[in-house]
Amino acid sequence: MIVGLDIGTSWIRVAIAEFDEDGTLKIAGTACEKSIGLRNGNIVNIEAASNAIRNAIENAEQNAGVEVHSCFTIVGGDQIEGMNATGKVAVSSKGKAQREISEDDINRVKESATAVQMSLDREMLHVITQEYIVDHISGIKDPMHRLGVCLEAAVHIITASKTTIQNMRSCINRAGYNMDGVMLKTLADVHAVANEDEMELGSIIVDMGAGTTDILVLLHGAPVCTASIPVGGNLVTNDIALMLGIPVAEAERIKVEAGCCYMDNVDPRRTVIVNGVGGQHPREISQGEICEIIAPRVEEIFEMVKDKIIEKTTLTSISGNIILTGGGAKMDGIVECVQDSFDTDNVRIGYPEKMGGIEEDYEGPDWATVIGLVRACKDTVVRQPKKAKKNSRNSKVGEHVENKFLKMLKSLF
């Protein structure tokens, strides 16, 4: 059994997957619970967040008919930093003949590449190899057994705030569960929505959450840029609330029911009722009026995404797709808006691959992260009896699962 937990600013999503008789991983149950105690992706109230996590996992347990004892989770937002680094080691001594590259040489060059200075409050989350270079021959994915004198490695290092990870672990523990491992949010998205061709040609994953918009740029099958901007769907909701003079909850309802961010997609006949505040009568507004509020803000968010990518990479073009995930990707007109912002037709919404169960429960782009997390972790679990009790957890098993998870991440790409 694998349990994925996506702790978002607005919603907490849980997916429980089990192996069937032929070893295929299938979704057994899902659940979605309103987030409490989070702001812009950060935990601000551990007790409230723990209660929301417990409720979400318990609902998923009931839907799947199992008992959960631990889970994998994700991290994203401005507490994440990505950097590219290189390492170089000698395979054979000066004057000696070439020899085959061994696993020890590969481990040494990775250690050399990750020997970077980090502040004390940062934790290395992932180290993903982009390519190996053997005697100035680049683009090598696996240098094992190649003859060479010098071995180099280019890697992408993703670090996270130690405090953030500790707070997440504390919330999950207080909810009554163990945390098996943590994965970058957009890396989990890759496993759910991106194919090998898109990763090789160069693609951009944009996860549009409520509090943050997370970005991952892929090229030649590996990440080259990890970034986040501290704005998301909540900013759009606040604009609607401010312009119409209504509560945030009412503005969120209007955004979900009739929100559109591209004027050409507006239905001129469509209207929505805005409930009155303080005894005022309800009024009717058109979808076009709502779009006039939403569109400029969404355009601004994607201009910020484009500026961030330009700031952090030297890429001038990509041949793959811009793939949109997260709750913001469900908004009408979002694809056309991004096509205009990036001047490309290669934009699509990322729907997670079907994995059995009640597929309608996890078919949207807002489920991509937790479904991708489950898929990424399928080779790391220690299979447990379906009815394992929460109170009989074995800490050694938990350590073994986490160690396997970390090993898997090192060779993920």
Side-chain angles (χ1 to χ4, degrees):
M1 181 169 61
I2 302 175
V3 182
L5 173 67
D6 177 6
I7 308 172
T9 301
S10 287
W11 297 97
I12 295 173
R13 291 181 171 84
V14 181
I16 300 176
E18 293 185 298
F19 292 94
D20 62 14
E21 293 178 355
D22 63 359
T24 302
L25 190 66
K26 293 188 175 180
I27 298 297
T30 61
C32 186
E33 183 79 15
K34 187 69 177 174
S35 286
I36 305 174
L38 285 96
R39 183 180 298 122
N40 293 337
N42 296 310
I43 297 170
V44 295
N45 187 324
I46 288 181
E47 194 63 36
S50 298
N51 290 335
I53 290 169
R54 184 185 303 111
N55 291 337
I57 295 180
E58 286 179 351
N59 288 339
E61 285 178 320
Q62 292 176 6
N63 293 333
V66 299
E67 286 191 57
V68 170
H69 59 88
S70 62
C71 62
F72 294 92
T73 190
I74 58 94
V75 63
D78 56 4
Q79 57 266 40
I80 292 294
E81 293 178 3
M83 69 180 83
N84 295 315
T86 58
K88 185 176 182 179
V89 296
V91 177
S92 58
S93 303
K94 188 176 181 180
K96 292 188 177 181
Q98 295 177 331
R99 69 169 176 81
E100 286 190 357
I101 294 171
S102 66
E103 186 175 354
D104 180 63
D105 297 320
I106 295 174
N107 290 334
R108 286 193 300 116
V109 77
K110 287 181 178 179
E111 288 178 5
S112 173
T114 55
V116 295
Q117 287 188 339
M118 286 194 308
S119 58
L120 296 177
D121 65 335
R122 305 298 298 176
E123 177 178 327
M124 199 172 290
L125 196 62
H126 306 305
V127 177
I128 303 170
T129 305
Q130 297 167 332
E131 66 170 349
Y132 293 97
I133 304 167
V134 180
D135 295 344
H136 307 294
I137 300 174
S138 60
I140 298 170
K141 295 298 182 183
D142 184 5
M144 183 73 78
H145 303 310
R146 290 180 66 99
L147 292 174
V149 174
C150 178
L151 176 63
E152 300 174 66
V155 301
H156 188 67
I157 301 171
I158 300 167
T159 65
S161 162
K162 285 185 177 179
T163 303
T164 297
I165 301 298
Q166 289 168 356
N167 284 338
M168 292 175 66
R169 189 184 299 274
S170 177
C171 277
I172 293 171
N173 289 345
R174 281 173 175 264
Y177 306 93
N178 290 329
M179 189 174 81
D180 290 329
V182 184
M183 190 176 195
L184 176 67
K185 181 182 182 69
T186 43
L187 271 184
D189 288 332
V190 169
H191 283 271
V193 302
N195 60 48
E196 291 185 7
D197 289 338
E198 289 174 320
M199 293 170 61
E200 187 66 28
L201 292 171
S203 295
I204 302 172
I205 306 290
V206 182
D207 190 304
M208 304 175 63
T212 63
T213 300
D214 294 339
I215 309 154
L216 184 71
V217 182
L218 300 161
L219 184 64
H220 302 314
V224 296
C225 170
T226 302
S228 179
I229 56 174
V231 293
N234 283 351
L235 195 61
V236 176
T237 302
N238 291 338
D239 286 349
I240 296 172
L242 182 64
M243 296 299 294
L244 298 181
I246 56 177
V248 171
E250 178 69 2
E252 179 69 17
R253 180 189 67 81
I254 292 171
K255 182 184 76 173
V256 172
E257 288 184 7
C260 180
C261 61
Y262 195 69
M263 192 58 72
D264 289 351
N265 285 26
V266 168
D267 183 350
R269 297 166 298 178
R270 187 173 181 182
T271 60
V272 63
I273 300 297
V274 179
N275 293 320
V277 179
Q280 295 182 353
H281 295 292
R283 65 187 190 276
E284 188 178 71
I285 62 172
S286 68
Q287 189 182 39
E289 292 177 88
I290 301 171
C291 185
E292 288 176 355
I293 300 172
I294 293 176
R297 182 64 76 184
V298 174
E299 290 170 6
E300 181 185 10
I301 290 174
F302 279 101
E303 284 301 318
M304 294 172 68
V305 169
K306 188 164 64 173
D307 291 343
K308 182 66 73 171
I309 293 171
I310 293 171
E311 173 192 334
K312 287 185 167 286
T313 71
T314 57
L315 297 178
T316 55
S317 64
I318 59 171
S319 302
N321 289 317
I322 298 173
I323 307 173
L324 308 177
T325 65
K330 299 169 70 176
M331 184 176 292
D332 187 13
I334 194 71
V335 170
E336 292 81 2
C337 181
V338 177
Q339 287 174 338
D340 283 357
S341 295
F342 283 82
D343 193 23
T344 179
D345 292 331
N346 299 334
V347 181
R348 71 176 181 88
I349 295 175
Y351 294 97
E353 185 176 337
K354 303 303 181 184
M355 295 177 63
I358 304 176
E359 296 177 349
E360 292 80 7
D361 287 349
Y362 61 90
E363 64 181 357
D366 45 345
W367 283 91
T369 298
V370 73
I371 297 300
L373 177 62
V374 166
R375 290 175 60 86
C377 298
K378 68 179 180 180
D379 295 325
T380 71
V381 299
V382 176
R383 298 190 186 183
Q384 299 292 328
K386 287 187 179 180
K387 298 297 182 180
K389 294 182 179 179
K390 296 179 189 177
N391 295 331
S392 60
R393 299 173 185 142
N394 188 319
S395 60
K396 291 184 179 180
V397 170
E399 291 175 6
H400 181 53
V401 172
E402 187 159 4
N403 288 338
K404 289 186 72 179
F405 182 70
L406 294 174
K407 288 180 181 177
M408 179 274 291
L409 292 175
K410 290 179 181 178
S411 59
L412 193 58
F413 290 86

